[in-house]
Amino acid sequence: MASVLVVEDDPVIRGALIEVLTGHGYAVKTAHQGFEALREITQDPPDIVVLDLGLPDLDGIDVLRMIRGISRVPVLVATARDEDTEVIRLLNAGADDYMVKPFSGGQLAARLAAVLRRSGPAEAEAERRPVLRVAELRIDPDARTAHLAGRELSLTRREFDLLAYLAAHADQVVSRKRILAEVWQQPYLEEPTVDVHLSALRRKLGEKASDPRYLHTVRGIGIKLVTTP
C-alpha cells in the first residue's frame, strides 16, 4: 500500500481527498501547513506528496523547493494556476506532475499511480546521493560520514546536516534564516542557534571565526563554505 501525504489547508477538500485516496487503496497522511509537511517528509517519508500551492504559512512553490532540498519523494502539485509560465516554473522547481483544479478523485488516483510507476525502479537506483568533495573535505550524505584530509570527523547529527548543506551550496552565501528553514525546518527559531552549531563545527574543522579556512561569515548576509580555502 503506497502512502500519500496530502498537503492542503482547506479541511473540506482535505477530507474529500482522504476519502477518495483511501478508497483507491492509499494510506493517507495530511498536513495543513508547509512547515508541517516538511517535518512529516523528514520524520516519516511518504511514497508521494500531493501539494496544494495556497498554504497559510508559505507559498507552495517555496515548499516544493524546500522538499527538493531534503528529499527525492515524487510531488504532484494541485493548483488553480494553469498559465504556461506557472506550469514551467513548477516543473523547473521540482514537481513531477501537476493537476489544475477542479479535478475528479479518479483522475487524481490515476495520476498518482502514473507518477509512482515512473519513479519506481529508476528512482530507487538514483536514490544514492553523490559524495560531496570540497578541497580536503569529503562528505557522504548517505553514510552520514565526513572526513577532513582522510580523518573522520566526529559530528553531531545537526553539525553533519549543517556541513552537508553548506557543502552542497559551496561558494554560495547562505543566510541563517534559509539554513533554519532548510536544515532545521524551523525558521521561527532564533538565528543564534545557527551560530552555536557553526562555532562547534569550526572547532572540529580546526579553524576559528577570526581565521577561517572553510567556513566564512559574510557580515550581514550569511555563511559561505569556500572551495579554495
Side-chain angles (χ1 to χ4, degrees):
M1 181 184 291
S3 61
V4 182
L5 174 63
V6 174
V7 188
E8 168 63 62
D9 69 314
D10 187 311
V12 175
I13 296 175
R14 195 164 62 241
L17 291 176
I18 291 171
E19 183 177 353
V20 166
L21 294 175
T22 301
H24 280 82
Y26 290 98
V28 183
K29 298 183 292 183
T30 64
H32 69 280
Q33 293 187 338
F35 290 121
E36 182 186 359
L38 291 166
R39 283 195 295 272
E40 282 286 343
I41 290 167
T42 303
Q43 296 170 6
D44 187 15
D47 294 310
I48 193 166
V49 175
V50 176
L51 175 64
D52 177 52
L53 293 185
L55 299 175
D57 58 341
L58 288 171
D59 186 270
I61 199 161
D62 291 329
V63 177
L64 176 59
R65 291 191 180 106
M66 290 180 187
I67 290 173
R68 280 293 160 259
I70 61 173
S71 174
R72 303 175 72 90
V73 64
V75 179
L76 186 150
V77 172
T79 177
R81 313 168 192 172
D82 60 355
E83 301 88 353
D84 282 352
T85 54
E86 182 64 15
V87 170
I88 291 168
R89 193 163 74 106
L90 289 170
L91 295 174
N92 285 340
D96 294 274
D97 201 354
Y98 72 95
M99 295 185 67
V100 177
K101 296 178 179 180
F103 48 78
S104 69
Q107 185 183 3
L108 173 61
R111 288 285 191 98
L112 289 176
V115 172
L116 285 169
R117 282 196 302 271
R118 292 198 301 269
S119 62
E123 183 71 15
E125 291 174 6
E127 278 179 3
R128 178 158 182 85
R129 291 168 291 179
V131 172
L132 302 168
R133 299 177 188 275
V134 179
E136 293 186 302
L137 279 170
R138 181 185 183 278
I139 302 161
D140 187 330
D142 290 322
R144 294 190 65 81
T145 58
H147 292 77
L148 176 62
R151 174 179 61 86
E152 185 169 359
L153 299 172
S154 177
L155 303 177
T156 66
R157 179 175 66 87
R158 193 65 76 190
E159 288 165 2
F160 179 86
D161 291 343
L162 177 57
L163 181 62
Y165 180 79
L166 292 172
H169 298 80
D171 287 329
Q172 299 178 32
V173 181
V174 185
S175 70
R176 289 169 177 78
K177 188 173 292 294
R178 182 177 170 190
I179 290 171
L180 287 171
E182 300 194 23
V183 178
W184 268 258
Q185 282 98 52
Q186 298 182 53
Y188 44 80
L189 288 177
E190 295 294 328
E191 292 187 9
T193 301
V194 175
D195 292 323
V196 170
H197 288 80
L198 193 64
S199 178
L201 195 52
R202 279 198 173 105
R203 287 197 302 272
K204 294 179 180 182
L205 292 174
E207 62 181 59
K208 299 178 181 178
S210 59
D211 185 24
R213 184 183 180 198
Y214 289 100
L215 299 172
H216 291 247
T217 298
V218 180
R219 190 176 298 277
I221 302 176
I223 313 301
K224 176 171 66 173
L225 189 149
V226 301
T227 55
T228 53

